[in-house]
Structures are given as C-alpha cells and as structure tokens.
Amino acid sequence: MSAAYMFPTTAKEVEALGWDYIDIIIFTGDAFIDHPAFGTAMIARYLQHHGYRIAIVPQPNWRDDLRDFRKLGAPRLFFGVNSGAMDSMVNHYTASKRLRSDDAYTPEGRAGMRPDRAVTVYTKILKELYPDIPVVIGGVEASLRRFTHYDYWADSLMPSVLVDSGADYLCYGMGERPMLELARAVEARRNAGDIAAIPQIAFYRDGKARPEGKDTGGTTLFLASYERCLKDRRAFAENFHKIETAANMLYPPVVIEPVGKGYVRVNPPYPPATEQEMDSFYDLPYTKLPHPKYKGKRIPAYDMIRFSITTHRGCFGGCNFCTIAAHQGKFIQNRSESSILKEVAALTSLPEFAGNISDLGAPTANMYGMKGKEPAMCAKCLRKSCLFPSPCRNLDRSHERLTALYRRVDSTKGIKHSYIGSGIRYDLFLDPEGYVDRHSRTYLEELVLRHTSGRLKVAPEHTEDHVLKLMSKPPFGLFARLRKEFDRIVRDSGKRFQLVPYFISGHPGCTMEDMRRLSRNPFLQGLYMEQVQDFTPTPLTASSVMFYTGLDPKNMSGVFVERDIERKRMQKSYFFKKH
C-alpha cells in the first residue's frame, strides 16, 4: 500500500484498504482536500506518517438519521472534530449578519453543508452515539473559542467551546505535535494525569483547580470566571489582556478559567517548531488533490490554493482585529529553503500546472526568516507586537534571505512566475525616513516587478491615525511613503502596475466622519479603490473585546463603538461615495 494513499471516507473505501480497524476518525466541516494549505490534511498525513490509520468524514449530514456519523463505527483511539478552515459562523454570515449564498470550501460552492457552530454540533452527536469514545476538537473554530469569548452573531458572551460541546480535549493552534502525543497517550492508556500534562491542549474538569507546583517549575494564571465576566464587562476585558499577554510569551503559564462547577485548563503550547520540525510537517506525501469522491466538481477554495506554497507560520504584527497570532503564534517558524524548493519542483508534475505559483508565502509573506537578534531578549519579552507602536530594535528585518529564496524559486526548471498573494507588511522594509537597509529597496523592487500580477495589494486599513492606533497598525504616513516608492519603481520600469489598498470600516473607534475623511484622503487619489470590508468581531481578538465592552483591554480606556448594523453598512458605503 502506498504511503500516499488517499484517506478513506466510506466503509467501502476502508474495506478496499484491507483495514479491520481505524485508529482515528476526523469529522470536518470542509470538503476534504489533501493539500498542506488545509489543517485536516496536515494532521491526517502527520499521524499517518507515525503509523496511525486515519479516516475522514467530510461535511457529514447532521439533519437526517445521522448515518454519516455511524457509517465507520467507532475508532480505536478517538474522534477528531473541526469546523474546517474557517470558523463556521464567519463562513456562514456577513458582517451584517446576513446568510452567505455560497461556501468556498464545498463542492460547487454550495451553501448550507455544515451547521452553525459546527464543532459543537458534531461533537454533541458523537458523544450521544459513542459516549465512551473520546472526542478531540481542534482547528480555527475550537482554537479561538477555547476561553470565554464574545460571539457577535449571538451578541453575547459564550463559555469555552469545551463546555458547550462536551468534548474531552481541545487541541489549539497548529496541532501536529500535540495530536501525535495525544494519540500515543491514548494508545498507551496513560492515566488522566499524564494526558492532562500534554502541551497545547485544553480540557474541562469539575471542582477547583490547584496552582502548578514549584517542584514542576510550573506557573499558573487564574482568570475571572465565566459567570463574573457575564456580570462585569471590565472583568472580561481584563481576562483578555491577561490571555493575550500570556499567548505572546515564549514560556507562558498554564491558564485556568473557572466556569460553572469546574474550570477550563489551557496548557502552554509547544515551543515554536524548529526548521527541521516544520520540514517534517510539509515534506509528507500529499497528493495535493481533492478526494476522488469530488471528481468533476469544482471546489472554489481549492482553485485558490492548489498551486500555492507555504513558507512559514506565525505573525508578530499584532493587529488587534487579527486571529493569526492567537492560532499560529507570534514567533516565526520557517521551513528550510531545501524543503520549499523540493515542493516547488514537485509542482511541475501536477495536473494543469502551467508554471505559475499562485502564492509563495504565509499569513504575512515577508516575515520569512525574521527573528530577534538576541534570542534571550525575546524569551523575556511581553510585547504583543514586534512592530507596534514602533519596530523593536532587537528585530532583524533584513529581507536578504527572502529575496534569495525568491530567486532560487524562480530559477527552478518549469517555474515561470512565483506570485506573492499573501499579505505583506511594508513597515518591515520602510521607516518614515526611508528604507530600513540596503536589502529593503531590492526586495520591494523585486516584489513589485517580478512577484505581482499587475497589482500590489497592501493593507493600510485606515487613514485616521487614532483608528489605526486602536487597530495596532502603523500611521497612514507610512503608506504615503510606500506609494511614493511604488510610483518611482513603476515609473522607472516603464510598466503599468497598480497599488491596491485594503481598508476596514466600522472598527471600534471609527466614526462616520472618519470614513468621510478616508474617502477624501488625497494620498488615495488615482488608486484602485474598491477594497473595503466591514469589521466583523471574531473570537479571541482585542477588537472584538473592544466591540463588546467599549473598552481597550490594554489600558481600559473607553472606545467609541458603532454597533448599529445599518450605520455600520453606511460606514462601508461611505467609502464609495464622492463627498
């Protein structure tokens, strides 16, 4: 049997593999695509690599007689559950709380193939059908709802998803290492205490939690209870500030959050993955294809990522509205150049590949290879962002390694173009007075002229500095500097390229007058202006805490919040009007 076999999704496919048992069955809200851009595929391949038999049940029907939940029976070890690549509520609803008409992660873009709050719905069904089999929840939805959180669509605080779902364990963040350790622990029938010590997992327990003992070298952070947060919005904001501070530490504590008659315990994460570990995650035999069951059907999300390559994980930008650091971590975890180039070379054998890499990057494409100059300083640092309010002096912002990688990729046989579709941070190569170093100018020139398809997309997010401050974004003046450099590069090259800025309306602190000023800002004249989105409060972000509490969790100062949906729509529409 080939190591690259496609994971079975039906009893017939299990039988064809000759299996008499399945170790782990993963239920997911997405169609299954065996590509490292999708977490389900990465976890499945990594566990398979270590000897476990994995089956996948994509988009199970939760509205009929539940045959999809019964068809493979019970796994030997446990069930895994995720909602897919997105939180199911973000996937289903717009910022105006209107139901979306399509779903990019479903064949033919069909909507309605997963329930609201899919992690909770799937888990409750499995616990009802198989009460003695552990359920481990993970992925974006579970990860960002591991603590008490504000749910925009219910307009209320909700407890940890562990409480509502009844799951046995929650694996947060990028889960290869904790999921493997959990599988080994369950297989070895380790006692509950041993399993409870596994990094990067969370669980609910009855009773009262005890602090970590000094003999173990552990520390414990106790939060205000869910019930207190319901009564006191300030307590919720204070909780978030503590959670966020801990999440950005290299060596964070155990976090305990009381709820009901028990508590949720969130263990510290594994240390940032080494380059060797990152390579081991991505060098697995992915087919990079949708499951054969979807033959002849188009999956929009697959079209977007099929010829993309991930270079690293993490983001130290610290934007208040973003969930990347809460899920992937602040510290950048790189793949080696050789691993990336190996994947680039393999692209040329894929069906329909025409030589164009659609995206060579990560959440922030130009953070590849970046870290602190003195690691000891990073180990003690409590900053949420290495860039805001100003770049850390210990941060190495050199783009030399990344530029060299781009050139090696482009020189690979069969590669015509490598595009950077991921976002970039221009405050990594520009300061108000100019370029950061001699490599910065070279990087921007190569980025514009060789790695965009005619449009360079960047995200200043707003023009008004008091709003940008609440977003933890650099002043708008830096975007003006970027435009000046961009215009020079285009003019000198004789080519026709466009600079496309992205903006957010309705963010806490943003008024109708702020949007009017944005729409009339002189530095935006002549640019391709159609990219604006209405702010959507998503769990485990500072911006969502501001939206719910009216407080900046960093300093507890009051913040204006536009909560009326119609007025939020008006803020967005103001962007397109001429005033």
Side-chain angles (χ1 to χ4, degrees):
M1 181 172 58
S2 169
Y5 69 81
M6 181 58 81
F7 298 97
T9 63
T10 65
K12 186 176 180 180
E13 291 168 2
V14 171
E15 184 180 350
L17 290 169
W19 292 358
D20 55 356
Y21 66 89
I22 304 169
D23 290 312
I24 299 164
I25 302 173
I26 300 176
F27 285 79
T28 177
D30 286 347
F32 181 66
I33 300 170
D34 186 29
H35 190 292
F38 297 97
T40 301
M42 295 202 74
I43 297 299
R45 283 286 172 208
Y46 193 67
L47 291 173
Q48 177 217 16
H49 175 72
H50 288 276
Y52 293 101
R53 293 179 176 180
I54 313 297
I56 313 289
V57 181
Q59 300 188 314
N61 190 336
W62 73 100
R63 292 173 289 200
D64 60 5
D65 60 2
L66 306 182
R67 67 187 66 181
D68 283 346
F69 292 86
R70 305 173 191 269
K71 64 185 181 181
L72 298 182
R76 188 171 68 95
L77 301 180
F78 57 80
F79 290 109
V81 169
N82 68 64
S83 70
M86 294 175 65
D87 183 285
S88 57
M89 301 304 286
V90 177
N91 178 281
H92 282 173
Y93 299 95
T94 69
S96 299
K97 300 186 180 181
R98 290 178 174 173
L99 195 63
R100 298 185 190 274
S101 59
D102 57 3
D103 182 344
Y105 298 89
T106 299
E108 306 301 345
R110 182 181 174 187
M113 294 299 288
R114 83 190 77 210
D116 286 356
R117 303 184 177 88
V119 166
T120 298
V121 172
Y122 295 162
T123 302
K124 284 183 173 180
I125 291 172
L126 290 169
K127 294 304 289 184
E128 180 70 23
L129 295 175
Y130 307 97
D132 298 327
I133 305 298
V135 176
V136 182
I137 58 177
V140 170
E141 182 168 306
S143 182
L144 301 182
R145 294 174 182 263
R146 59 189 184 265
F147 296 103
T148 293
H149 56 280
Y150 172 63
D151 187 282
Y152 173 62
W153 302 272
D155 192 25
S156 64
L157 286 190
M158 290 186 166
S160 167
V161 67
L162 280 162
V163 175
D164 283 343
S165 69
D168 296 272
Y169 298 101
L170 184 158
C171 173
Y172 68 92
M174 309 302 273
E176 292 90 353
R177 291 173 292 173
M179 288 297 288
L180 176 60
E181 186 60 24
L182 195 54
R184 287 172 169 169
V186 174
E187 183 177 35
R189 298 185 179 181
R190 294 184 201 163
N191 62 44
D194 285 344
I195 294 177
I198 295 174
Q200 212 166 312
I201 66 166
F203 49 87
Y204 173 82
R205 291 289 184 268
D206 289 324
K208 187 175 181 180
R210 292 178 296 179
E212 293 295 287
K214 291 183 179 179
D215 56 326
T216 65
T219 57
T220 308
L221 170 63
F222 285 89
L223 303 176
S225 69
Y226 166 66
E227 288 76 15
R228 183 181 166 197
C229 291
L230 283 176
K231 297 176 182 178
D232 184 357
R233 297 190 179 202
R234 187 181 183 91
F236 174 60
E238 289 172 345
N239 265 11
F240 177 81
H241 181 61
K242 293 175 182 177
I243 291 167
E244 187 174 55
T245 300
N248 288 296
M249 296 167 62
L250 188 58
Y251 304 109
V254 169
V255 183
I256 300 292
E257 183 180 58
V259 52
K261 296 181 180 181
Y263 60 93
V264 168
R265 169 176 164 142
V266 180
N267 287 344
Y270 275 87
T274 64
E275 208 165 83
Q276 184 179 13
E277 287 171 329
M278 283 289 288
D279 288 354
S280 75
F281 305 153
Y282 286 89
D283 290 349
L284 299 171
Y286 304 95
T287 63
K288 291 202 169 182
L289 298 171
H291 193 279
K293 68 188 294 179
Y294 307 120
K295 186 176 181 180
K297 296 180 180 179
R298 175 177 173 264
I299 304 174
Y302 174 62
D303 290 346
M304 290 185 282
I305 58 84
R306 62 190 303 190
F307 301 132
S308 67
I309 290 180
T310 300
T311 55
H312 60 284
R313 290 177 179 173
C315 181
F316 51 72
C319 299
N320 280 342
F321 51 81
C322 184
T323 60
I324 293 168
H327 187 65
Q328 294 195 6
K330 179 177 79 170
F331 298 94
I332 302 303
Q333 300 155 79
N334 307 291
R335 296 172 63 185
S336 68
E337 285 88 342
S338 60
S339 174
I340 294 168
L341 291 167
K342 180 181 176 182
E343 186 177 353
V344 168
L347 278 180
T348 59
S349 64
L350 288 179
E352 300 179 22
F353 181 68
N356 299 312
I357 298 173
S358 60
D359 186 15
L360 181 66
T364 303
N366 60 324
M367 287 184 180
Y368 180 78
M370 294 190 179
K371 58 184 178 181
K373 299 171 187 174
E374 295 292 337
M377 292 179 65
C378 295
K380 299 176 182 178
C381 182
L382 297 180
R383 281 182 61 161
K384 167 189 172 182
S385 171
C386 302
L387 293 173
F388 183 86
S390 61
C392 175
R393 286 179 291 181
N394 188 46
L395 177 64
D396 182 358
R397 289 189 278 171
S398 173
H399 285 68
E400 182 178 15
R401 181 180 178 185
L402 181 57
T403 304
L405 174 63
Y406 287 173
R407 291 171 178 171
R408 292 182 70 184
V409 169
D410 285 355
S411 65
T412 302
K413 184 179 179 180
I415 300 300
K416 297 177 181 177
H417 298 100
S418 59
Y419 297 113
I420 312 303
S422 307
I424 63 159
R425 289 285 300 230
Y426 47 85
D427 48 353
L428 283 171
F429 52 78
L430 282 178
D431 282 333
E433 60 273 13
Y435 289 106
V436 169
D437 59 23
R438 63 188 180 88
H439 301 292
S440 296
R441 178 167 178 157
T442 300
Y443 173 78
L444 181 58
E445 289 175 346
E446 291 216 9
L447 176 70
V448 172
L449 298 177
R450 296 181 61 85
H451 301 286
T452 66
S453 55
R455 291 179 178 175
L456 177 62
K457 299 175 183 178
V458 293
E461 308 296 9
H462 216 286
T463 59
E464 306 309 294
D465 285 348
H466 71 277
V467 180
L468 288 167
K469 186 176 181 181
L470 289 170
M471 294 177 170
S472 291
K473 294 287 287 188
F476 184 71
L478 198 61
F479 173 80
R481 179 78 197 192
L482 173 69
R483 183 174 184 185
K484 178 180 178 181
E485 295 300 328
F486 178 87
D487 289 346
R488 176 192 60 78
I489 292 170
V490 172
R491 182 177 61 252
D492 291 350
S493 69
K495 296 184 178 180
R496 299 183 64 181
F497 290 106
Q498 292 179 312
L499 186 62
V500 183
Y502 283 66
F503 297 98
I504 294 177
S505 62
H507 187 276
C510 180
T511 66
M512 206 75 73
E513 176 62 18
D514 291 324
M515 290 306 295
R516 184 189 70 81
R517 290 176 179 170
L518 187 157
S519 68
R520 300 176 68 175
N521 190 291
F523 283 103
L524 300 179
Q525 292 180 7
L527 296 184
Y528 188 77
M529 297 292 288
E530 67 170 24
Q531 304 295 335
V532 65
Q533 66 181 54
D534 188 8
F535 167 68
T536 301
T538 51
L540 212 61
T541 64
S543 297
S544 70
V545 175
M546 289 184 215
F547 186 88
Y548 173 69
T549 65
L551 299 169
D552 183 342
K554 182 171 60 178
N555 52 29
M556 296 299 152
S557 60
V559 178
F560 166 78
V561 178
E562 183 56 79
R563 295 188 179 88
D564 183 88
I565 287 180
E566 286 304 318
R567 290 185 64 81
K568 277 168 62 67
R569 284 198 195 109
M570 288 174 64
Q571 279 205 23
K572 181 177 180 180
S573 65
Y574 218 114
F575 179 84
F576 302 104
K577 295 177 181 178
K578 300 296 181 182
H579 297 276

